[in-house]
Amino acid sequence: MLIGIPALDATDWSRLVHAYGRATDTPEHLRALLTEDARARSSAMQHLWSAIIHQGTVFPATAPVALVILGLLDDARLDAGEAPVRAELLSFLTRVVDAFERSGATMEDLESMARFDLGPLLDADDDDAIYEDEDAANALHAQSVLACARVAPFLTRSLLANLDHADARVRMHAALAATALAALAASPASDVRRDELVERLMEMAKRTVDVAERCSLLLALGELNVSVDDFLSDAEPSVRLCAAMAPSLARSEVATRELRTALEQHAAHINDWFPVKPPQLPMQPRFTVVQRLLERVPDFDLVVDAAVAVARTTKKSWVDFEWGPLLVHAFPSGDGVVRTEAQRRFLAALVDTAHLWDPRFGNAGGHFRKAGLPYERDACARLVSTA
């Protein structure tokens, strides 16, 4: 199996499709990864994350690109220059590894859809015809996912080798890859040993002095359903928070209290605890803290102090990730009736935060409708005053 530049040179990219058409522009971007031209590298990474994997969707060009990148991982030039790209490439390959799991389809369904012959449509050079035909579009997606699934086991060794890289940021992205690789452990084609991988990640978490790396490793271990309760007493608040978010600690009162206390007392500063964000938290870390807390505590009365703290420090644009879900959680009946003091306090906090109210902002309206409330500041203020 060819990888790296030999694979790039041997591939007929005109027969491969990415999100924007034929992948004839892809080789130039892949070669740019080995240069120290920051602009060319940035353009190449943008190409990978928009054309080769588009909003999580893989294409026929995805697996061949993964094989090229696999061969490039042995090249030290990826680490050179002002904008090294190794860490980001590991994250890209991680999305290749978990493409099958993210598809939500069974292997049987994918294989059935993939039987449709795309050859005539590709020969006709009419890519629009592919997407206009449901069977063809399904086949394109199925074949792309299956190709990624076939490639994934070959990525294992190189991805895990980067757990020993000298750069902590690279190791963090390798930890992210490790969680995806662990899902392959049951596959006959995989040489991943889950127990050995868990032991390795745990030892790294205990040993590292890099706070961001420790956070990343704990998030990885958490995704593997490993208990990380020993880290709930870590001196660093960001580390305690990452440990508390582990699914394995979902029933831990200590972990849940850590989440609640962080929001109640430090809502304005949680995101600042992560000057280098773990790759598992690509958006604002506080979003995940809120999500985990709501998953674990169905009784809004128990989280109202945290909710009020969030309401006072949130942004309008964060509605889908924190204050919107909190509002729906506060009014689970969806009838907009203020029955409890906790509901009144949270709604009052939203009313007091003037910048959250914008009649042109459609995202907020959806959450208010679910709660049975009007997205009108004056109307909600009246509900608060009469409750």
Side-chain angles (χ1 to χ4, degrees):
M1 181 180 64
L2 294 178
I3 61 174
I5 299 301
L8 187 155
D9 291 336
T11 299
D12 182 359
W13 298 96
S14 68
R15 295 286 295 177
L16 298 175
V17 176
H18 59 43
Y20 303 115
R22 298 302 170 104
T24 51
D25 55 343
T26 297
E28 178 183 358
H29 288 296
L30 292 174
R31 294 182 192 279
L33 296 171
L34 295 178
T35 73
E36 294 187 28
D37 185 331
R39 180 175 296 181
R41 277 182 164 177
S42 176
S43 179
M45 292 310 306
Q46 183 177 4
H47 181 76
L48 292 181
W49 286 118
S50 61
I52 306 303
I53 296 180
H54 182 76
Q55 297 180 354
T57 300
V58 296
F59 293 86
T62 307
V65 165
L67 290 175
V68 174
I69 294 174
L70 173 62
L72 300 186
L73 289 181
D74 291 331
D75 198 313
R77 284 178 289 179
L78 296 180
D79 304 304
E82 297 179 357
V85 291
R86 181 180 298 275
E88 286 77 8
L89 292 178
L90 294 180
S91 287
F92 175 85
L93 292 179
T94 301
R95 295 283 75 85
V96 174
V97 170
D98 65 15
F100 170 69
E101 183 177 0
R102 286 185 294 107
S103 74
T106 65
M107 186 64 71
E108 292 76 11
D109 286 343
L110 290 171
E111 290 174 344
S112 177
M113 289 187 290
R115 294 191 184 101
F116 184 94
D117 184 11
L118 290 172
L121 292 173
L122 292 173
D123 292 339
D125 198 23
D126 185 2
D127 296 341
D128 288 341
I130 296 176
Y131 296 106
E132 291 168 356
D133 184 314
E134 183 177 357
D135 290 336
N138 288 338
L140 185 82
H141 176 65
Q143 292 175 18
S144 302
V145 173
L146 290 172
C148 289
R150 288 191 293 270
V151 165
F154 297 101
L155 306 178
T156 300
R157 192 178 303 276
S158 291
L159 286 173
L160 293 183
N162 282 277
L163 287 171
D164 295 323
H165 197 273
D167 187 336
R169 186 164 175 270
V170 171
R171 297 195 299 271
M172 289 163 61
H173 285 257
L176 174 67
T179 61
L181 290 169
L184 299 178
S187 169
S190 172
D191 59 359
V192 175
R193 301 292 179 265
R194 188 182 186 281
D195 292 344
E196 295 177 4
L197 181 58
V198 167
E199 183 178 356
R200 184 176 183 185
L201 295 176
M202 182 64 76
E203 179 58 32
M204 290 175 64
K206 293 177 179 177
R207 185 179 68 245
T208 184
V209 296
D210 187 288
V211 174
E213 182 182 11
R214 190 151 70 250
C215 287
S216 180
L217 289 163
L218 292 177
L219 291 168
L221 288 163
E223 288 300 315
L224 295 175
N225 205 33
V226 176
S227 178
V228 291
D229 54 339
D230 287 349
F231 293 90
L232 290 172
S233 57
D234 196 278
E236 292 290 338
S238 59
V239 173
R240 296 196 303 272
L241 205 55
C242 287
M245 288 191 284
S248 60
L249 296 182
R251 297 185 178 182
S252 166
E253 293 183 6
V254 176
T256 300
R257 185 167 59 249
E258 185 70 36
L259 299 177
R260 189 168 57 238
T261 300
L263 289 171
E264 291 173 356
Q265 300 181 9
H266 308 286
H269 306 294
I270 288 175
N271 293 331
D272 297 332
W273 290 351
F274 298 87
V276 178
K277 288 192 294 186
Q280 295 94 335
L281 304 176
M283 302 181 74
Q284 301 297 334
R286 197 172 80 172
F287 295 168
T288 307
V289 180
V290 171
Q291 178 186 347
R292 291 288 186 272
L293 186 62
L294 295 186
E295 290 170 351
R296 298 179 187 184
V297 186
D299 187 349
F300 187 73
D301 285 4
L302 299 179
V303 300
V304 62
D305 290 337
V308 168
V310 169
R312 290 172 175 165
T313 56
T314 193
K315 296 181 179 181
K316 182 179 71 174
S317 60
W318 294 357
V319 63
D320 292 333
F321 309 104
E322 46 178 48
W323 61 279
L326 282 167
L327 181 69
V328 175
H329 201 72
F331 292 85
S333 64
D335 60 9
V337 178
V338 181
R339 295 184 174 87
T340 69
E341 175 63 10
Q343 290 173 323
R344 190 200 67 78
R345 286 182 56 205
F346 180 60
L347 189 57
L350 293 179
V351 169
D352 290 342
T353 311
H355 66 264
L356 301 181
W357 302 87
D358 180 352
R360 300 165 299 178
F361 186 48
N363 290 42
H367 295 283
F368 277 78
R369 283 191 294 273
K370 287 182 181 178
L373 292 164
Y375 181 44
E376 298 174 9
R377 191 182 183 197
D378 290 343
C380 286
R382 287 193 295 273
L383 288 173
V384 169
S385 65
T386 57

